[in-house]
Amino acid sequence: MRADAGPAAAAVLRLEGRDVGTAAADLLHTVIASTPRPVIGVATGGSPSPLYRELAARGGDYRAVTWFALDEYLGLPAGHPQSYAEVLRRELIDPLGLDPRTVHLPDPHSADPHDAAARYEQRIADAGGVDLQILGIGRNGHLAFNEPGAALDSRTRVETLTEDTRQANRRFFPTLEEVPTRCITQGLGTILSARRLLLLAQGAAKAEALHRALTGPVSADCPASVLQLHGDVTVLADAEAAALLP
Ligand code: PGA
């Protein structure tokens, strides 16, 4: 189904929760099969989990693929189970049998994280840019860790997490105090540079943010509204997340 939403309408598909993973895996495999040296941007968090489970169940040959994470926490010790390097190892690298050297993340242990952010942006460019970027959406409308107020043309940089985001990610940590306060995140401009975007959204907590992102004004108040500026966006949402869409 195609829903006219915003200046450049996204293709919005309403699916059962389990089917989000199936449809996302279909799209990812289509991109990989049609691209000689595919570059896939990967998200972490709950939203992409059905996709990664489906990819693991299907198997496949990913030797030609280069992967780039959206973001990484600052301040966690190396090997922390909630660092995105470890999350991607558990959810993607090990289950799919990927060569870890093909999976890139910002370096959170650099003496100069600002420099690490700039180098990461350059690595994405050097790889030829992202062919398919997988995204979740925050309940405050954030995209990666681009929180409300982020510049629409921002590039990879050091950012501070909002309290709302720290509360949302609290479920992955023993206490709120242990949720990092800073990160390196791809910018909104970086994300918009990907040739194709795939947003996954599940659950009622995402309904308002998804509605604002796709039908509201393009504004830093809702960073995910930049999706309206991109010409090739697919949104896979379950009924709860899509409840407020036209
Ligand atoms: P979630 O987070 O996938 O864990 O819901 C998405 C986000 O905050 O961007």
Side-chain angles (χ1 to χ4, degrees):
M1 173 187 8
R2 210 174 164 87
D4 287 329
V12 181
L13 297 174
R14 293 174 171 80
L15 299 161
E16 296 300 318
R18 200 166 50 88
D19 297 339
V20 168
T22 309
D26 287 346
L27 178 55
L28 189 142
H29 276 174
T30 300
V31 169
I32 288 178
S34 61
T35 311
R37 296 180 60 198
V39 177
I40 304 294
V42 283
T44 44
S47 304
S49 289
L51 164 63
Y52 301 152
R53 279 197 298 272
E54 176 68 18
L55 291 178
R58 284 186 195 189
D61 183 352
Y62 300 103
R63 281 174 296 183
V65 182
T66 303
W67 311 79
F68 282 94
L70 273 177
D71 42 23
E72 176 60 289
Y73 289 122
L74 289 172
L76 294 178
H80 189 288
Q82 292 307 327
S83 69
Y84 289 157
E86 282 299 299
V87 171
L88 287 177
R89 188 184 58 71
R90 282 196 304 275
E91 298 200 353
L92 202 66
I93 295 173
D94 288 351
L96 271 58
L98 304 181
D99 178 345
R101 291 171 300 184
T102 63
V103 183
H104 302 277
L105 294 100
D107 175 11
H109 306 297
S110 166
D112 182 349
H114 298 281
D115 182 57
R119 279 187 281 119
Y120 192 66
E121 177 85 22
Q122 189 59 47
R123 268 154 77 196
I124 297 172
D126 290 346
V130 171
D131 292 299
L132 176 68
Q133 177 62 59
I134 296 148
L135 297 163
I137 183 172
R139 60 191 188 185
N140 67 353
H142 75 205
L143 216 51
F145 279 130
N146 293 282
E147 302 283 25
L152 303 185
D153 61 354
S154 50
R155 311 307 297 197
T156 305
R157 68 199 184 287
V158 174
E159 260 299 344
T160 303
L161 275 55
T162 61
E163 273 318 295
D164 186 71
T165 295
R166 294 186 67 239
Q167 293 282 355
N169 290 3
R170 155 80 180 84
R171 68 192 195 279
F172 298 116
F173 291 85
T175 65
L176 179 62
E177 287 64 41
E178 289 167 79
V179 182
T181 57
R182 297 200 314 152
C183 66
I184 295 175
T185 182
Q186 284 192 31
L188 294 172
T190 318
I191 293 168
L192 287 179
S193 297
R195 285 177 274 283
R196 197 161 184 179
L197 304 180
L198 171 61
L199 179 78
L200 308 179
Q202 300 101 323
K206 301 297 174 68
E208 193 187 330
L210 194 58
H211 178 250
R212 287 178 69 206
L214 298 183
T215 69
V218 176
S219 154
D221 292 343
C222 180
S225 63
V226 296
L227 294 173
Q228 298 179 38
L229 302 176
H230 196 284
D232 194 340
V233 182
T234 302
V235 177
L236 301 177
D238 67 8
E240 289 78 17
L244 300 177
L245 294 179

